[in-house]
Every structure is written in C-alpha cells, then in structure tokens.
Amino acid sequence: MNNQQTIIENIVKGIRKERNDSIPQCCYVVGRSGYGKSYLLNQLSDRLKECDAFNIIHTDCLLMPIFDTETFRQYINERTGEKRNVVLLDNLDDWLGKWTRTELFRLRSLLYEPHAPIVVGTGRTLPTQFSKYDEPFYDAFSLYTIGEMDKDCVMKLINGMREQQALPQLGNEILSKVHALLSATSYTPSMCRLLSAVPSYERSVNDILRTALMPLTAYYRAMIERMTPTQRVTWIALLSKGSPMLFSDLREMTRQSGGELSPQLLMFVKNGLLVSDKVSPKKTLYSIADPIMTAWYKYCTNDFA
C-alpha cells in the first residue's frame, strides 16, 4: 500500500504521550491529491476517540476560511475542560498561504503555550513556513510525507474497505477491470476507497466510474465556486481539456491576456493545485494535480460553468 498507516501510528503514539500541561508537538503531513490525507485525519480522529482523553476538532480549511490568528485561537479553543484539544486541519496549506508573517508568528506563539491544542495538518505542498530557517514554523512541526501506493496491493486494500462496508469481496477475475478503473483515474488510496463503495462491478468501466465519483460532486463544486470568475474560467478550461496544456493554448482557450493568466497559474502551482512541467526554455505544460477531479469532470458533469 503506502506508508500511511506508519504515519498514523507515529502521530497517535506521540499525541498519547502528551501531558495535559505540555507544549504540544504539532504535525504536518504532505501528500499529493488522492494519496489519502483526508482518510489519514479521519483515522486519527477515530483512534484518538478510543481513549476518551481528547476533544477532537476536525475541519477542511478549503471549506472554512479563517483569516487571522484571533479567529483561529477562538476556534481551536472552542471546547474547554479537562480534555486536551486536538485540531485536525485538512488542507492547512490553504490557510498558511493567506496569512501574513505577523499572523503566523502569533500562531506559533499560541501553539507554544502549555496545554495549547495539538494541531495535525495536511497539505498538498510543503509551505516555506516549515522549510526555511527564518520562517515562523521552521523546526516547529514534525513533518511527514505520504509515499506512492504499491499497485500490487490494490485488491487487498479495496476488499479490506468493502469488508468494513459489509459488501461482497471482489474476486481476482475482475482484477483487470479494477486496474482499468485506476488507470483512468489514479492509483491512490482515495480512488480505491471510492471504488470500494461501488456495490456491483457487473457494468461498464464508465458506469462504474460515474457511480464511484458522483459523491465528490458537492465537494468539487464548492471548491470551484470559491474561485474568482476569472480563475474559474481557467480551471474549467483545464478540466475540459483533461490533459496537460501549454500556456499559449490555455491563453487562447480562455481568451485571457498573458498578464491575466500568468498570476493565476503561479498561484495554482504554489498551492499544489496545478503541476507545471517545463518542456523547453520557452514552453511549460500545466495540468491539474488531482487526476480524480479531472475524471470526475469527464464522467459526472460536462456543464459546470
């Protein structure tokens, strides 16, 4: 599979060792889209609830904008009492990219107080706030990276998830169909989890993908609706193409000037939403980092605007 379970065990072990008045050891987990970051936080939540010693506060930063440390302080301390607060923040890099250095240093001070909440965040990228010597969170968080998935383990992973959902096991006779489904999207734990929920595989690959990906519609639509109108045009163009695009082709398709388009692409790349590949000194290909979203757009909707 990948090293996701090892990361979960290490983080749980560290949190359970925290004293009630200790300065917390916070953690940040990096992984590409679909590698299982959200699943990891859900597993952490379930594991920590078992010992009844923590208040779990869990949110997706993409869906809940918080723009200053005072609001964040109120949010992470919303539950008080004897139990220690553990704050699980999916897509934490989204918040970090929007706060000023002053706000970030205030946040560091907040998290370095005794009995402060224990923060576990995830993100597509490793922000400079963690990696540069003079940045606010340099050496302040334990850093983990989710590795690639072992393709030979997909059936074991999917059947394990189906067992938890009381669904019948998939036999090896449909292994080729499972690999076709993953090849059309991505070999990631997230895609395996979506496929595990499909009741029957006695249908075409396209029908199975449509069934598996449809539950993501509300999440992906909300993500797109948070963009500015100009960003949305650019994003829909990339989704519609479904394959890497040159800057010149994207500019022509969106009818934007280079001055309008370039800052958007830089922002998308910085936030881990796009992947850029320089194919020559003057040519760069841009593609959406989340192949599951590209597949969702292809199989579940063609009219988003």
Side-chain angles (χ1 to χ4, degrees):
M1 299 179 196
N2 62 13
N3 62 336
Q4 183 188 79
Q5 196 59 42
T6 301
I7 294 173
I8 292 172
E9 296 299 330
N10 288 341
I11 294 176
V12 169
K13 183 178 179 180
I15 290 176
R16 287 179 172 174
K17 285 183 176 179
E18 294 275 1
R19 301 187 311 275
N20 200 41
D21 61 347
S22 64
I23 295 173
Q25 176 59 68
C26 300
C27 303
Y28 183 79
V29 183
V30 185
R32 290 177 57 186
S33 295
Y35 271 36
K37 300 184 297 297
S38 299
Y39 178 75
L40 180 145
L41 291 183
N42 288 331
Q43 290 295 302
L44 284 176
S45 178
D46 291 342
R47 291 284 301 278
L48 293 172
K49 287 176 182 176
E50 292 173 359
C51 61
D52 196 37
F54 305 101
N55 291 316
I56 309 300
I57 303 171
H58 191 175
T59 195
D60 187 335
C61 299
L62 290 175
L63 304 180
M64 185 179 176
I66 292 181
F67 298 109
D68 59 77
T69 48
E70 176 57 29
T71 307
F72 183 70
R73 184 191 64 79
Q74 295 173 10
Y75 174 69
I76 63 177
N77 288 298
E78 64 179 17
R79 301 183 190 179
T80 57
E82 295 299 321
K83 294 183 181 181
R84 189 79 177 264
N85 284 354
V86 177
V87 185
L88 307 177
L89 299 174
D90 209 359
N91 297 300
L92 175 58
D93 50 342
D94 183 70
W95 283 357
L96 296 179
K98 294 174 180 175
W99 291 355
T100 65
R101 281 176 60 86
T102 300
E103 292 288 340
L104 292 172
F105 275 110
R106 286 175 182 165
L107 176 59
R108 176 170 178 141
S109 297
L110 172 66
L111 296 179
Y112 264 60
E113 296 175 358
H115 194 67
I118 304 165
V119 173
V120 181
T122 68
R124 302 180 190 88
T125 61
L126 180 63
T128 57
Q129 291 93 340
F130 293 113
S131 58
K132 289 190 176 181
Y133 180 75
D134 60 344
E135 289 294 329
F137 297 114
Y138 179 78
D139 211 25
F141 278 56
S142 291
L143 303 177
Y144 297 92
T145 300
I146 300 179
E148 293 186 357
M149 183 177 174
D150 184 350
K151 295 181 181 180
D152 294 333
C153 295
V154 293
M155 287 298 284
K156 180 179 179 181
L157 179 60
I158 291 174
N159 276 329
M161 294 173 175
R162 288 177 71 83
E163 183 178 1
Q164 294 174 357
Q165 301 169 75
L167 291 172
Q169 298 288 283
L170 301 178
N172 288 329
E173 68 275 6
I174 63 167
L175 180 60
S176 61
K177 179 175 282 189
V178 170
H179 281 292
L181 291 162
L182 292 169
S183 295
T185 50
S186 65
Y187 277 89
T188 59
S190 291
M191 195 62 220
C192 288
R193 189 159 48 256
L194 291 167
L195 291 175
S196 74
V198 176
S200 172
Y201 275 64
E202 296 178 357
R203 292 177 290 164
S204 69
V205 167
N206 286 5
D207 285 343
I208 294 172
L209 284 174
R210 192 171 294 110
T211 301
L213 297 170
M214 192 60 73
L216 298 175
T217 296
Y219 176 80
Y220 282 145
R221 283 181 177 267
M223 174 182 167
I224 295 172
E225 286 168 354
R226 289 182 64 241
M227 299 177 181
T228 67
T230 306
Q231 291 171 348
R232 196 176 305 158
V233 169
T234 303
W235 196 255
I236 295 299
L238 287 159
L239 283 174
S240 301
K241 180 68 174 178
S243 59
M245 294 186 70
L246 289 170
F247 181 89
S248 57
D249 294 336
L250 189 55
R251 184 179 58 190
E252 180 179 349
M253 187 173 182
T254 61
R255 297 182 180 180
Q256 298 180 55
S257 68
E260 293 174 310
L261 184 59
S262 185
Q264 298 173 53
L265 297 178
L266 289 173
M267 183 273 294
F268 284 143
V269 170
K270 179 181 178 182
N271 292 339
L273 298 174
L274 284 186
V275 175
S276 62
D277 181 17
K278 202 168 188 66
V279 294
S280 74
K282 294 185 178 181
K283 290 186 177 181
T284 300
L285 284 170
Y286 295 92
S287 58
I288 290 177
D290 182 1
I292 297 177
M293 187 176 194
T294 303
W296 163 79
Y297 188 80
K298 177 180 179 180
Y299 293 103
C300 298
T301 179
N302 289 310
D303 58 358
F304 194 98

